[in-house]
Amino acid sequence: IQDGVSGMLVAPGEPEELRRALIYLLTRPEEAKRMGQAARRQFEERYTFEQFAHQAYKILQSVVTQSV
């Protein structure tokens, strides 16, 4: 997540900060929509099936190599 681009980052254990972020997005639906669309684009670009298959192959290859 890129803060302010594809979402909003909030520190863990900070309920007041989370409340402010939620109010910000609820009162600015177009901004929330823009961030959601950016997050979707980033996901689709970075997490393709081919990347998943490649990572799964690397993990399986590592497991097989370690067990031999």
Side-chain angles (χ1 to χ4, degrees):
I1 295 174
Q2 293 175 286
D3 193 30
V5 176
S6 57
M8 297 183 74
L9 297 176
V10 176
E14 296 293 335
E16 184 58 30
E17 192 177 336
L18 177 59
R19 184 184 76 78
R20 284 193 300 270
L22 290 171
I23 289 171
Y24 177 87
L25 292 172
L26 288 170
T27 59
R28 294 169 180 81
E30 288 302 314
E31 182 73 0
K33 181 178 179 180
R34 182 192 62 75
M35 285 188 205
Q37 290 170 335
R40 176 69 183 243
R41 274 192 308 277
Q42 287 178 358
F43 178 84
E44 289 174 346
E45 291 168 3
R46 295 180 185 171
Y47 302 103
T48 64
F49 178 76
E50 289 79 16
Q51 289 172 324
F52 168 78
H54 179 71
Q55 289 298 323
Y57 175 79
K58 284 174 48 178
I59 290 168
L60 291 172
Q61 190 175 37
S62 169
V63 169
V64 169
T65 302
Q66 290 176 6
S67 65
V68 173

